[in-house]
């Protein structure tokens, strides 16, 4: 039953198609857009890549993802066709993450991808970089992140409680795609940190265990502000190994305060590397004072005397373990500490141009 | 004629059905390969099983190797080394989301290479272990489980667990070459 042009589509047919997708086990829990060949063709027209190109199999799970499979999942997620190059770049950026190309998707940690978008593509596609950047409410942000989740679920076949073994998972998994607020950031964008030319539309991605706010509208002193961050960054519950990695998505106000006091991004990173950590006594109290030969922490049988000397253990090995972006509205001085699962690759992926003949259609 | 709704499922990498390795009649004189996956207590657990096999089943000795990445299947080099030097292999302990699945994948890999293998996982990860066996072309692959968790166990508890599992380990290593329900 085809509708007249301009007429409202048939909701009963749409509902049957949605239920069909649920029944096949393709859904992450929310309704999917049923994908037809004409819709798939619109997505494929947005890339010059061969639909059959394999873009990330995991040999150990016996599945391969092709460009066409990624496109079907992106369309199901609710992406518009023009988002597809961003989805492909996000996927490629995640493939550079050691955990995501290994066992990360199967982990009991249930990590969530953080997808950071830079460049003009943010305004072209309406990718939110300002108020409520962690969502919800913006189609591009919501569906690009969801597309990655559906590719993992359907493309790789890693489903919750089967090959995915998240103990609790985390709120926001498959929904964290943010534009960087380059216009109100005092610092170069992430993609430039990663070596791409300024003004490049690009995606950076890493896996997160959670995101935790730091609300400090209380001080204009940069050192006090940094100490407030250090407390959240240094909490013992997040420490598993000797070293950890923690990203900061600064709200514009915090970033501007720090930059106004003369802090470059590198200065902020160096400050955190120097000041974040715990004393031996703190670590002992939490059963994490020992570090074995595999750098995993354990409850050492330290004596009170051994832990009472105030010895300070740093937890961030280098600036590379402290990726920084700026996003959100300039309406309150708050930021997000993002707890990195593994380590950011330090690489950003440029978003490919839409093929000329297709774009001209 | 309406359009079909397209299937989003990824391509299956081709994998022939697994065939289990031929079993020895007993473990007398056998070199036991131990592949530990770096998880806490894995060395201790496998080491204790190896020790018991030497002590009670006249195995010649053990070769202990470590997986560099517990989340991923064993490297071809390690597989070939075990196939060359060992009569049988014990691997584990699968006690996380990715390493339980990859331990099962390793067991199937060793069987394909002609080496009888025993995989040990914590019982919290049966579903993912079974799913991986299926992906590896070995649906119903038999592996052994030990109650979760393994990481916090003390040395005497590990010895006790090994002792409990020993009869099943021997049974799998010298038993019939069949793919059947998991232990």
């Amino acid at each position: 039953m085809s509708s007249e042009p301009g007429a409202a589509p048939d909701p009963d047919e749409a509902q049957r198609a949605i239920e069909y997708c649920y029944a096949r086990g393709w859904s992450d829990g929310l309704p999917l857009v049923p994908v037809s060949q004409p819709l798939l063709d619109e997505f494929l027209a947005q890339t010059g890549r061969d639909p059959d190109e394999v873009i990330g199999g995991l040999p150990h799970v016996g599945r391969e993802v092709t460009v066409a499979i990624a496109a079907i999942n992106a369309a199901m997620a609710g992406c518009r066709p023009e988002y597809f190059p961003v989805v492909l770049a996000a996927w490629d950026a995640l493939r550079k993450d050691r955990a995501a190309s290994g066992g990360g998707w199967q982990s009991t940690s249930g990590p969530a991808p953080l997808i950071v978008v830079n460049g003009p593509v943010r305004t072209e596609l309406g990718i939110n970089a300002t108020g409520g950047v962690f969502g919800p409410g913006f189609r591009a942000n919501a569906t690009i992140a969801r597309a990655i989740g559906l590719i993992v679920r359907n493309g790789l076949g890693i489903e919750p409680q089967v090959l995915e073994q998240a103990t609790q998972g985390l709120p926001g998994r498959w929904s964290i795609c943010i534009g960087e607020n380059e216009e109100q950031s005092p610092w170069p964008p992430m993609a430039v940190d990663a070596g791409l030319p300024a003004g490049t539309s690009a995606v950076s991605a890493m896996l997160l265990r959670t995101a935790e706010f730091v609300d400090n509208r209380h001080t204009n002193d940069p050192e006090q502000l940094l100490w407030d961050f250090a407390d959240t960054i240094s909490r013992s519950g997040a420490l598993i190994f000797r070293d950890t990695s923690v990203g900061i998505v600064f709200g514009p106000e915090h970033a501007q305060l720090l930059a106004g006091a003369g802090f470059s991004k590198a200065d902020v990173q160096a400050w955190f590397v120097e000041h974040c950590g715990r004393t031996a006594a703190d670590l002992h109290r939490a059963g994490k004072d020992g570090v074995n030969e595999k750098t995993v922490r354990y409850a050492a049988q330290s004596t009170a005397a051994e832990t009472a000397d105030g010895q300070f253990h740093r937890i961030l090995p280098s600036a590379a373990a402290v990726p920084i972006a700026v996003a959100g509205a300039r309406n309150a001085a708050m930021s997000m500490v993002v707890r990195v699962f593994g380590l950011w690759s330090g690489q950003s992926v440029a978003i490919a141009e839409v093929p000329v003949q297709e774009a001209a259609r | 004629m309406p359009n079909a709704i397209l299937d989003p499922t990824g391509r299956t990498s081709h994998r022939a059905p697994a065939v289990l390795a031929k079993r020895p009649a007993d473990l007398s004189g056998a070199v036991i390969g131990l592949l530990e996956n770096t998880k806490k207590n894995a060395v201790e657990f496998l080491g204790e099983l190896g020790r018991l096999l030497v002590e009670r089943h006249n195995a010649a000795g053990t070769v202990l190797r470590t997986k560099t990445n517990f989340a991923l299947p064993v490297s071809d080099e390690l597989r070939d080394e075990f196939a060359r030097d060992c009569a049988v292999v014990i691997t584990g302990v699968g006690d996380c989301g990715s390493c339980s699945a990859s331990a099962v994948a390793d067991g199937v890999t060793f069987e394909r290479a002609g080496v009888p293998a025993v995989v040990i996982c914590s019982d919290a990860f049966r579903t993912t272990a079974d799913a991986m066996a299926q992906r590896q072309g070995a649906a119903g692959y038999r592996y052994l489980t030990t109650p979760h968790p393994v990481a916090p166990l003390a040395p005497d508890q590990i010895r006790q667990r090994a002792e409990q599992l020993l009869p099943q380990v021997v049974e799998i290593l010298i038993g019939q070459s069949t793919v059947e329900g998991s232990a």
Side-chain angles (χ1 to χ4, degrees), chain A residues 5-163:
Chain A
D10 179 345
D12 301 311
E13 200 61 37
Q15 286 152 18
R16 277 191 287 276
I18 288 169
E19 288 302 327
Y20 175 91
C21 295
Y22 273 117
R24 301 298 292 266
W26 298 337
S27 170
D28 52 12
L30 295 172
L32 297 167
V33 174
V35 183
S36 62
Q37 188 65 47
L39 180 58
L40 173 60
D41 291 342
E42 285 188 56
F43 275 69
L44 294 176
Q46 297 289 321
T47 176
R49 294 167 80 168
D50 182 341
D52 290 328
E53 181 191 343
V54 173
I55 55 167
L58 283 184
H60 65 287
V61 299
R63 286 283 183 85
E64 290 175 343
V65 177
T66 61
V67 169
I69 287 296
I72 295 172
N73 282 285
M76 288 196 332
C79 288
R80 294 184 53 79
E82 55 267 34
Y83 304 169
F84 188 45
V86 185
V87 173
L88 286 175
W91 181 253
D92 289 344
L94 280 165
R95 294 268 303 155
K96 295 180 184 303
D97 186 295
R98 184 170 171 272
S101 55
W105 302 128
Q106 298 162 257
S107 173
T108 47
S109 313
L114 165 68
I115 298 162
V116 182
V117 183
N118 282 120
V121 73
R122 294 166 305 140
T123 42
E124 290 160 13
L125 300 183
I127 295 171
N128 183 27
T130 60
V133 70
F134 278 89
F138 299 87
R139 180 173 179 176
N141 302 61
T143 60
I144 290 167
R146 188 188 187 200
I148 297 297
L150 291 177
I151 294 171
V152 170
R153 178 189 180 91
N154 297 311
L156 295 178
I158 299 178
E159 295 176 28
Q161 299 186 357
V162 188
L163 284 175

Side-chain angles (χ1 to χ4, degrees), chain A:
Chain A
M1 253 197 324
S2 60
S3 317
E4 294 299 317
D10 179 345
D12 301 311
E13 200 61 37
Q15 286 152 18
R16 277 191 287 276
I18 288 169
E19 288 302 327
Y20 175 91
C21 295
Y22 273 117
R24 301 298 292 266
W26 298 337
S27 170
D28 52 12
L30 295 172
L32 297 167
V33 174
V35 183
S36 62
Q37 188 65 47
L39 180 58
L40 173 60
D41 291 342
E42 285 188 56
F43 275 69
L44 294 176
Q46 297 289 321
T47 176
R49 294 167 80 168
D50 182 341
D52 290 328
E53 181 191 343
V54 173
I55 55 167
L58 283 184
H60 65 287
V61 299
R63 286 283 183 85
E64 290 175 343
V65 177
T66 61
V67 169
I69 287 296
I72 295 172
N73 282 285
M76 288 196 332
C79 288
R80 294 184 53 79
E82 55 267 34
Y83 304 169
F84 188 45
V86 185
V87 173
L88 286 175
W91 181 253
D92 289 344
L94 280 165
R95 294 268 303 155
K96 295 180 184 303
D97 186 295
R98 184 170 171 272
S101 55
W105 302 128
Q106 298 162 257
S107 173
T108 47
S109 313
L114 165 68
I115 298 162
V116 182
V117 183
N118 282 120
V121 73
R122 294 166 305 140
T123 42
E124 290 160 13
L125 300 183
I127 295 171
N128 183 27
T130 60
V133 70
F134 278 89
F138 299 87
R139 180 173 179 176
N141 302 61
T143 60
I144 290 167
R146 188 188 187 200
I148 297 297
L150 291 177
I151 294 171
V152 170
R153 178 189 180 91
N154 297 311
L156 295 178
I158 299 178
E159 295 176 28
Q161 299 186 357
V162 188
L163 284 175
E164 190 246 88
Q165 287 286 307
T167 304
Q168 294 184 307
L170 63 110
R173 196 181 198 201
W174 313 135
S175 69
I176 310 176
C177 171
I178 65 176
E180 183 159 12
N181 187 344
E182 297 173 29
E183 291 69 21
Q184 293 184 300
S185 170
W187 297 317
M190 262 191 107
V192 172
D193 296 339
L196 295 182
T200 307
S201 288
V203 179
S204 313
M206 64 196 83
L207 297 185
L208 303 185
R209 290 210 57 174
T210 197
E212 312 162 62
F213 72 93
V214 173
D215 186 328
N216 191 316
R217 293 174 261 190
H218 306 70
T219 181
N220 290 319
D221 180 321
E223 290 264 344
Q224 285 183 319
L225 178 60
L226 290 169
W227 277 118
D228 209 9
F229 278 93
D231 181 65
T232 294
I233 293 170
S234 305
R235 73 179 178 86
S236 66
L239 300 178
I240 303 169
F241 301 99
R242 180 191 60 210
D243 298 329
T244 191
S245 172
V246 173
I248 317 290
V249 178
F250 281 106
E253 284 192 38
H254 282 161
Q256 289 172 9
L257 187 158
L258 292 166
F263 280 82
S264 67
K265 226 186 236 193
D267 294 333
V268 172
Q269 289 167 322
W271 195 97
F272 286 140
V273 169
E274 175 66 20
H275 294 92
C276 293
R278 299 300 289 249
T279 64
D282 288 344
L283 293 166
H284 177 63
R285 192 174 59 189
K288 292 182 171 177
D289 47 334
V291 174
N292 73 12
E293 71 281 3
K294 294 161 191 160
T295 78
V296 180
R297 293 187 174 277
Y298 67 96
Q301 307 300 320
S302 309
T303 63
E306 284 168 341
T307 60
D309 62 4
Q311 193 188 354
F312 188 73
H313 295 265
R314 292 184 179 82
I315 54 174
L316 299 168
S318 68
V322 194
I324 290 175
V326 175
R330 192 177 169 281
N331 63 3
M334 50 185 84
S335 297
M336 204 70 93
V337 169
V338 295
R339 192 68 61 176
V340 182
F341 178 84
L343 189 67
W344 179 41
S345 66
Q347 300 175 67
S348 303
V349 174
I351 296 166
E353 298 286 330
V354 177
V356 172
Q357 68 278 18
E358 312 295 347
R361 272 198 323 200

